[in-house]
Amino acid sequence: MTLPRTDSSHRTLAALSCSVAVLVAACVDAKGQESAPNLDILQVLPASATLVVGESASLGALHLRNRVATNVTGKVEWTSDDESILTVSYETEAGAVVAAVGPGTGHITATDGRRSATAEFVVTAAVASLELDKGLIELAKGTTLTLLVLAVLV
């Protein structure tokens, strides 16, 4: 899953709403009867994603208790397991933001004191330029040539 950029917090809220709808829909048993689950969990949204070095994306946290979901994005502590790959911050205006700083796999955790939830992010290197293994070439009509393309990563 590729994440939206941080230019809008509305996307995070939409993702939180979708997640709540899926969890509430799962509260029906095999006979179609509504069950009364005793949920008390914390969830980070998105649960996993891929970013390119230099990108950032919005995060959200939901506390799910029974059938009520509460947005607790601003009430949890956000941490990164490897700040050479991912950093995370929270600001009142921007909300929770994960930033990709180096290639690898990293985890962002939200903790509320009693519960914690973790999201996994794969960070790939950005391509700075492409280089061909040959300089200027001329081909006669109908001929082919195999070229090697080298990617220079940031």
Side-chain angles (χ1 to χ4, degrees):
M1 165 179 171
T2 301
L3 292 176
R5 306 301 184 271
T6 58
D7 56 356
S8 173
S9 61
H10 300 291
R11 293 182 197 147
T12 299
L13 295 178
L16 292 171
S17 299
C18 290
S19 178
V20 171
V22 169
L23 287 168
V24 170
C27 297
V28 176
D29 66 17
K31 296 179 182 178
Q33 301 293 317
E34 288 190 23
S35 59
N38 190 18
L39 295 176
D40 189 12
I41 60 173
L42 190 63
Q43 181 179 12
V44 174
L45 296 171
S48 64
T50 299
L51 294 171
V52 175
V53 171
E55 290 184 332
S56 61
S58 297
L59 294 171
L62 280 180
H63 175 218
L64 304 164
R65 182 167 182 152
N66 298 323
R67 294 198 167 176
V68 178
T70 305
N71 182 347
V72 293
T73 303
K75 297 177 182 175
V76 296
E77 178 184 351
W78 293 97
T79 58
S80 171
D81 71 339
D82 189 340
E83 291 193 349
S84 69
I85 298 172
L86 298 167
T87 60
V88 64
S89 62
Y90 179 82
E91 296 177 14
T92 305
E93 293 294 316
V97 176
V98 58
V101 295
T105 299
H107 301 87
I108 299 296
T109 301
T111 305
D112 72 358
R114 294 188 313 140
R115 294 164 292 273
S116 65
T118 301
E120 180 175 274
F121 291 85
V122 175
V123 180
T124 59
V127 176
S129 65
L130 299 174
E131 297 176 5
L132 295 176
D133 66 340
K134 301 196 181 346
L136 182 63
I137 54 173
E138 291 185 36
L139 291 176
K141 185 175 182 180
T143 61
T144 62
L145 176 68
T146 301
L147 298 172
L148 176 64
V149 178
L150 303 170
V152 177
L153 304 176
V154 176

